[in-house]
Amino acid sequence: HDIISDSTTIDKLANLLDPNRDPHILGSIQTIILVMLDSPKAPTFFANLEKTDALQSLFLVWCRGPEKAIRDRAEVLIHLMERGGFCVSTIKALTEQFRSNIIERKARDEEEKKKKYQQMKQQQAFQQMMMQQMGGGDMAAMMGGGGEEEF
């Protein structure tokens, strides 16, 4: 934890923390931040982290990250840091700065969730219809045989 808390190492991590970065790299950086929350070196780590643009980048990942899981994890880390008493004033300022982006992101995520739910319901209805057709012994029609028109 001493090496990770070093300002040079944190600068390197901060440079890698970018919403356009590969999700695996973002996930690894997020894991480091999570582990450091419970480290005896946490005060040093987060003091050095606050001196970089890593917190702003973490907010950008929250708002623009490539995958929902990565965005959600960034949000949770920000809340955990604030609850743990780390970087509180910076987090409050960035929360205000990114407020509209956060609201937009949550709305897009909710819309995507609704679309997936609708697709699932449509797929279930289609499968139910197919099962009813099969149950009626209408296998030839279902397979395109029996003189029926093709779609």
Side-chain angles (χ1 to χ4, degrees), residues 31-93:
T31 299
I32 291 169
I33 294 170
L34 179 64
V35 168
M36 291 309 292
L37 279 166
D38 196 36
S39 169
K41 293 289 183 178
T44 304
F45 177 83
F46 288 103
N48 286 332
L49 190 75
E50 197 167 16
K51 294 174 189 172
T52 69
D53 62 351
L55 292 174
Q56 183 168 352
S57 296
L58 195 58
F59 272 85
L60 287 170
V61 170
W62 178 6
C63 296
R64 301 182 195 152
E67 295 176 357
K68 184 167 178 5
I70 294 293
R71 293 190 302 269
D72 289 349
R73 202 167 175 205
E75 177 183 6
V76 168
L77 284 172
I78 289 166
H79 293 306
L80 288 173
M81 282 188 279
E82 189 174 22
R83 254 187 241 133
F86 301 112
C87 314
V88 175
S89 60
T90 303
I91 289 172
K92 284 185 186 297

Side-chain angles (χ1 to χ4, degrees), residues 11-19 21-22 25-26 29 57:
D11 285 341
K12 291 177 184 176
L13 286 176
N15 289 332
L16 291 172
L17 193 57
D18 180 286
R21 187 83 54 202
D22 179 272
I25 293 171
L26 292 173
I29 295 167
S57 296

